[in-house]
Amino acid sequence: MSTARGASTASARGVPAASARGASAASARSVFTAPEASRANALHAGAWWLWALGLAVAASRTTDPLLLGLLVGVAGYVVAARRTDAPWSRSYGAFVKLGLFVVGLRVVFSLLLGSPIPGEHVLCTLPEVPLPDWVQGVRIGGRVTAEQLVFALYDGAKLATLLICVGAANALANPARLLKSLPGALYEAGVAVVVAMTFAPNMVADVTRLRTARRLRGRPTGGVRAVLQIGLPVLEGALERSVAVAASMDARGYGRTARVPAAVRRTTNVLTLGGLLGVCAGSYGLLAAEGAAYGLPLLGAGLLAAMAGLRLGGRRTVRTRYRPDRWGARAWLVAGSGVAVAVLMIWANAYAPEALHPGVVPLEAPKLPLWPAVSVLVGLVPAFVAPVPSMKENDA
């Protein structure tokens, strides 16, 4: 009897303990396992931009084509893993094509206009156009060396990687949610930016829809006449969407402003202008070859001043936000991974600049440095912690 009573007591005590252990294990798994994306756990759009800008800063610190290719691969893998079916998510391919065009254009300019890089391996000699004495240092045509072509390829690949990183942010961040997260002082400018960012993808979607409809009806989709017949409905649809957005904004009371003292307005202007100048100077320092020492302090001070000015300026705008996006633990992980890649690459450029900049004169085969490559792989964190996009997810 006592044995049965003890067994029943032990089982009664063991069930809550087991359930508690199961709940804790489930919560631990939920932290490290990406859930399916929903409106409640949507990742903050600013986290995607911070992650992409971190990769772009890392790309600006090196000319190694292997590291640049690794950065492009990291950005492409994250986009493929966490991209939705929204219209803006299709912009990544356009940025990749734009990057390839930039590389080709940089090589063509190097061939036609020459390069200050000296070289000994002459590939060919183009007809040179004689120029007057007042344009000394500039030439059209002449010798084409392997060194100048390699330098042009490295330089173009760096710029192309920067564009691809920005394209990754455009493909992953919801512009409407980014607009909701902007401070009140930047809301009007943010509306213009969001309209500009979403107009082209929506127009491409309309063109695709109309061409498909014409093809199903047996009508031609190519030629000048077809383009004119498709262009008019596309422009009409864009105009109707703009009018609908303006009407909805007017119905919600957009444009209302509150009265603030003159001293607050002056302080806001000084803080905002000074902060933006500090951000520009700090960003230039981070992108320059040897400006990380003063770039980070200037960038931090400029961000603090700009945030204070924007907070004061937001008092003029009277608006509310319905269910604002929260900056949770996953947003910190996504943004922190991009910042970590940028900081580690800046640090690697300080202690081993030769590894990040392969020689051109004389020519050297590029090598993949171990630790900078490992630091770039940190940018893959969003592919595992960001919510998985749902097939039924819309662009709201």
Side-chain angles (χ1 to χ4, degrees), residues 25 30 129 151 154 206 339 349 384:
S30 64
V129 178
F151 178 79
Y154 288 174
D206 288 346
V339 174
N349 195 28
F384 304 98

Side-chain angles (χ1 to χ4, degrees), residues 71-115:
L71 284 168
V72 173
V74 167
Y77 182 80
V78 174
V79 169
R82 293 298 183 264
R83 181 172 58 177
T84 64
D85 293 333
W88 63 82
S89 63
R90 305 168 190 170
S91 61
Y92 182 73
F95 277 91
V96 173
K97 296 177 182 178
L98 179 61
L100 296 176
F101 174 76
V102 166
V103 174
L105 188 64
R106 180 67 178 87
V107 172
V108 170
F109 279 170
S110 178
L111 288 173
L112 297 179
L113 303 179
S115 175

Side-chain angles (χ1 to χ4, degrees), residues 1-355:
M1 206 50 198
S2 61
T3 305
R5 188 181 299 110
S8 61
T9 305
S11 61
R13 293 177 180 176
V15 169
S19 61
R21 287 194 297 269
S24 62
S27 62
R29 286 194 300 269
S30 64
V31 174
F32 297 101
T33 304
E36 186 176 356
S38 64
R39 186 61 185 85
N41 63 357
L43 194 69
H44 200 284
W48 286 122
W49 274 100
L50 289 177
W51 167 79
L53 291 178
L55 296 185
V57 171
S60 68
R61 313 304 296 183
T62 179
T63 56
D64 192 333
L66 300 180
L67 283 177
L68 294 175
L70 188 60
L71 284 168
V72 173
V74 167
Y77 182 80
V78 174
V79 169
R82 293 298 183 264
R83 181 172 58 177
T84 64
D85 293 333
W88 63 82
S89 63
R90 305 168 190 170
S91 61
Y92 182 73
F95 277 91
V96 173
K97 296 177 182 178
L98 179 61
L100 296 176
F101 174 76
V102 166
V103 174
L105 188 64
R106 180 67 178 87
V107 172
V108 170
F109 279 170
S110 178
L111 288 173
L112 297 179
L113 303 179
S115 175
I117 301 298
E120 299 179 354
H121 301 82
V122 180
L123 299 178
C124 62
T125 302
L126 299 177
E128 187 170 357
V129 178
L131 297 175
D133 297 337
W134 56 272
V135 290
Q136 291 183 357
V138 179
R139 65 181 177 88
I140 300 178
R143 298 193 316 159
V144 177
T145 63
E147 288 82 358
Q148 80 177 63
L149 285 183
V150 171
F151 178 79
L153 282 173
Y154 288 174
D155 199 25
K158 182 200 292 188
L159 183 55
T161 306
L162 292 173
L163 292 173
I164 291 174
C165 292
V166 174
N170 279 278
L172 294 171
N174 189 328
R177 291 178 179 172
L178 184 63
L179 176 62
K180 291 174 59 177
S181 303
L182 286 177
L186 294 180
Y187 195 63
E188 296 179 358
V191 170
V193 172
V194 169
V195 169
M197 290 172 59
T198 57
F199 178 77
N202 288 329
M203 187 174 62
V204 171
D206 288 346
V207 170
T208 304
R209 177 175 55 83
L210 291 173
R211 291 187 65 182
T212 304
R214 290 179 63 87
R215 191 179 298 110
L216 292 175
R217 293 184 177 94
R219 298 179 181 178
T221 58
V224 178
R225 184 177 180 182
V227 171
L228 293 177
Q229 292 177 353
I230 292 175
L232 184 60
V234 168
L235 294 177
E236 183 180 357
L239 181 60
E240 289 179 355
R241 283 197 303 270
S242 300
V243 172
V245 170
S248 63
M249 292 170 65
D250 182 69
R252 291 174 174 85
Y254 177 79
R256 293 177 300 173
T257 57
R259 293 183 178 180
V260 294
V264 175
R265 291 200 302 269
R266 298 191 191 98
T267 306
T268 300
N269 295 333
V270 171
L271 288 176
T272 305
L273 182 59
L276 292 179
L277 289 176
V279 169
C280 292
S283 302
Y284 177 79
L286 290 178
L287 297 176
E290 298 178 355
Y294 68 88
L296 286 176
L298 278 177
L299 182 61
L303 285 176
L304 291 177
M307 290 174 62
L310 293 176
R311 187 173 182 83
L312 288 176
R315 295 182 179 180
R316 295 185 63 251
T317 304
V318 182
R319 68 184 181 98
T320 59
R321 288 183 294 178
Y322 176 65
R323 292 193 302 182
D325 292 337
R326 301 183 181 276
W327 190 280
R330 298 185 186 278
W332 282 112
L333 289 174
V334 171
S337 63
V339 174
V341 172
V343 171
L344 291 175
M345 192 65 70
I346 291 173
W347 183 45
N349 195 28
Y351 73 82
E354 297 83 5

